[in-house]
Amino acid sequence: MKKYRPTSPSRRHMEAIDWKSILTGAGPYKPLTTGFSRGRGRNAAGRITTRHKGGGAKRLWREIDFRYEKKDVSARVVSIEYDPNRSSFIALVQYRDGDKRYVLAPQGVTVGKEVITSQRAPVEAGNRMPLYQIPVGTLVYNIEVQIGHGAQLVRSAGTGALVLAHESGYTHLQLPSKEIRKIRSENWACIGSLSNPEHELMQIG
């Protein structure tokens, strides 16, 4: 964490993440970014219906791959980047066929590491596999709730769900909220917990 000099009352207790020691990308990968319209508190006719909304800096939308459709093809992490639209960091990965995608970056994954989505993938951070292949006691993120719908659960900074048991075609998961939920064991999930765990420690001032 980075602390600031108390040059003003608002700066006195300010703490932020030391981005330079973590991030490696200079800017977003242009082919995977688009513009988008933020909620400005206006309805379809353009009239303000919710006051005090709008403004802020412009943001590019990063297209994140939550479906992980490229199976049994390894990918190399090219860069770790900041995404203003979510709390965890994102990783730009390049597959062996040259295709590039943005995925959510887990803790412990650095530039140059190989990750893969496969039923026979090793149990390592960043790899993706069906829940029935994941040992009890492992942390997972980007969990499917319905087959083919992509990652829907556990996607915010520093979070991970704990695999508690496999029983009768279902996997018991303890979510970050401590809720225990049964998910079908053929659904897919990523190994590890998400990056930027210091997000909750930030003090704006």
Side-chain angles (χ1 to χ4, degrees), residues 41-54:
R42 298 173 185 269
N43 63 8
R47 297 188 179 91
I48 294 175
T49 53
T50 304
R51 297 184 301 157
H52 315 302
K53 290 189 70 174

Side-chain angles (χ1 to χ4, degrees), residues 6 14 25 33 52 63 81 97 105 117 130 146 154 177 183 190 199-201:
M14 187 172 181
T33 58
H52 315 302
E63 296 292 342
E81 300 178 16
D97 58 6
T117 299
Q146 295 183 350
V154 190
S177 64
I183 305 290
C190 294
H199 176 75
E200 63 179 6
L201 302 177

